[in-house]
């Protein structure tokens, strides 16, 4: 029974780490979407640069298991989108305005993937809780 309890705790801990990591990923994606159409506050300046979340693996010594964590948030170094808009206050000397390197379609696809991963981790926690409850019910009888 003690080994089963450790397995249950390990399962819950791993799934919880996944929840935290995917929640962080969704925050980054939300920030990208919110800034998709922003421009620089100064003429010719750079606009918002898309951020890319990374994940890393860490050993949770209490669980004796590898868990996932949200790693560094890295800037996407792809080119900005440039439009000719000479009347825009953010335009450079040639009339071009830089827009963020954010593609809303890519962000929404990433958001859906993160949401599904989040839901999968929730399902693992739910299944583990049900197994714990069934184990306790068996022990009562």
């Amino acid at each position: 029974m003690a080994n089963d309890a450790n397995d249950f705790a390990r399962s819950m801990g791993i799934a919880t780490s996944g929840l935290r990591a995917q929640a962080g990923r969704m925050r980054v994606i939300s920030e990208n979407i919110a800034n998709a159409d922003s421009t620089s506050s100064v003429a010719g300046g750079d606009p918002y640069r898309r951020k890319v979340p990374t994940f890393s693996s860490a050993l949770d010594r209490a669980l004796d298991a590898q868990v996932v964590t949200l790693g560094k948030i890295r800037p996407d170094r792809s080119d900005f989108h440039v439009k000719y808009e000479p009347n825009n206050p953010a335009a450079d000397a040639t009339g071009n305005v830089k827009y963020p390197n954010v593609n809303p379609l890519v962000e929404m696809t990433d958001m859906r993937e993160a949401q599904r991963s989040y839901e999968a981790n929730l399902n693992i926690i739910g299944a583990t809780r049900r197994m714990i409850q069934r184990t306790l019910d068996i022990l009562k009888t």
Side-chain angles (χ1 to χ4, degrees), residues 23 38 41 56 58 61 71 83 97 118 123 130:
S38 64
S41 58
S56 61
R61 293 190 190 283
K83 294 181 185 175
V97 178
Y118 189 92
N123 288 336
R130 286 189 298 276

Side-chain angles (χ1 to χ4, degrees), residues 1-14:
M1 178 63 190
N3 197 23
D4 290 340
N6 289 339
D7 290 343
F8 289 143
R10 188 175 296 119
S11 175
M12 296 279 265
I14 292 168

Side-chain angles (χ1 to χ4, degrees), residues 53-126:
T54 63
F55 297 101
S56 61
S57 178
L59 176 65
D60 184 320
R61 293 190 190 283
L63 296 174
D64 190 30
Q66 291 285 353
V67 295
V68 65
T69 60
L70 186 64
K72 292 185 178 187
I73 308 300
R74 301 191 187 282
D76 179 346
R77 294 290 173 197
S78 63
D79 294 334
F80 293 119
H81 303 286
V82 180
K83 294 181 185 175
Y84 181 70
E85 296 177 349
N87 295 329
N88 190 316
D92 62 15
T94 60
N96 290 318
V97 178
K98 293 179 192 175
Y99 282 90
N101 56 345
V102 175
N103 180 337
L105 182 60
V106 169
E107 299 303 324
M108 291 306 294
T109 302
D110 286 352
M111 181 67 85
R112 187 67 186 133
E113 182 183 328
Q115 190 176 21
R116 285 183 176 156
S117 294
Y118 189 92
E119 289 169 0
N121 283 300
L122 275 178
N123 288 336
I124 290 168
I125 290 171

